[in-house]
Amino acid sequence: DTEVTQTPKHLVMGMTNKKSLKCEQHMGHRAMYWYKQKAKKPPELMFVYSYEKLSINESVPSRFSPECPNSSLLNLHLHALQPEDSALYLCASSHLNRATEAFFGQGTRLTVV
Amino acid sequence: SQELEQSPQSLIVQEGKNLTINCTSSKTLYGLYWYKQKYGEGLIFLMMLQKGGEEKSHEKITAKLDEKKQQSSLHITASQPSHAGIYLCGADGNKLVFGAGTILRVKS
């Protein structure tokens, strides 16, 4: 299994809603990542987890809250988002220190209304 | 911080034609990575180049690394509709950074 599975594929949420994005991999990767990609822009790193611990937070607003409950799962909890947070959210996983060879999920297309 | 500039921004080619995409770094390249992304989907890792002068091929896609010029090129031979997508170069500084991407469209 060489897939990173993200759910849901699409999400529309209001600014007062709370929702979660989920990501799962079964490749034994101990590094997992969240990226945000705006239209016609490259992905931007948000968070990195190494051995289920948050190792990098790229100054992401607290309305985004990551969680890594175990080595296969990565969640991104969303609360009180703004319309400008609408984007494609990509999850990725890799062996440690191999971010450049990461496997990416298909992404969740998030629209905040 | 390291920045990657890709050119061209977009490209439309006739099926069967060859094309080249370039990626230039603002700093010394210690490794350069190429990815392909279908619109609205995740990235697919294509290949990694780590040594100056290194050249790698995957099917009809060839990438080269010119360390002195801090540049890499991606060349597609005899393009096909399946090659259409967004090609991104990436480099590993303190974190993985990407170029802005090159949108490739292949006309049948």
Side-chain angles (χ1 to χ4, degrees), chain B:
Chain B
S1 61
Q2 186 166 27
E3 292 184 357
L4 297 174
E5 185 174 329
Q6 281 187 242
S7 62
Q9 287 185 324
S10 64
L11 198 52
I12 303 174
V13 299
Q14 191 68 41
E15 183 178 355
K17 296 293 186 184
N18 303 336
L19 63 108
T20 299
I21 298 168
N22 293 305
C23 175
T24 303
S25 172
S26 61
K27 292 187 175 183
T28 301
L29 281 169
Y30 296 104
L32 194 288
Y33 308 81
W34 284 100
Y35 304 85
K36 180 184 175 185
Q37 185 178 27
K38 290 284 190 183
Y39 179 72
E41 298 183 6
L43 276 66
I44 299 169
F45 172 72
L46 293 177
M47 57 190 88
M48 170 178 69
L49 303 164
Q50 287 190 305
K51 299 175 187 174
E54 187 173 11
E55 180 175 322
K56 285 189 176 177
S57 293
H58 173 70
E59 297 177 347
K60 292 186 177 177
I61 301 175
T62 301
K64 299 179 187 178
L65 178 63
D66 186 333
E67 266 185 349
K68 290 181 182 176
K69 291 184 180 178
Q70 297 179 178
Q71 187 177 65
S72 177
S73 60
L74 185 85
H75 185 77
I76 298 178
T77 304
S79 59
Q80 298 173 0
S82 60
H83 287 128
I86 303 168
Y87 289 83
L88 293 135
C89 61
D92 195 6
N94 291 327
K95 60 182 179 181
L96 175 58
V97 294
F98 293 94
T102 295
I103 300 171
L104 172 62
R105 296 185 178 88
V106 180
K107 292 196 298 185
S108 301

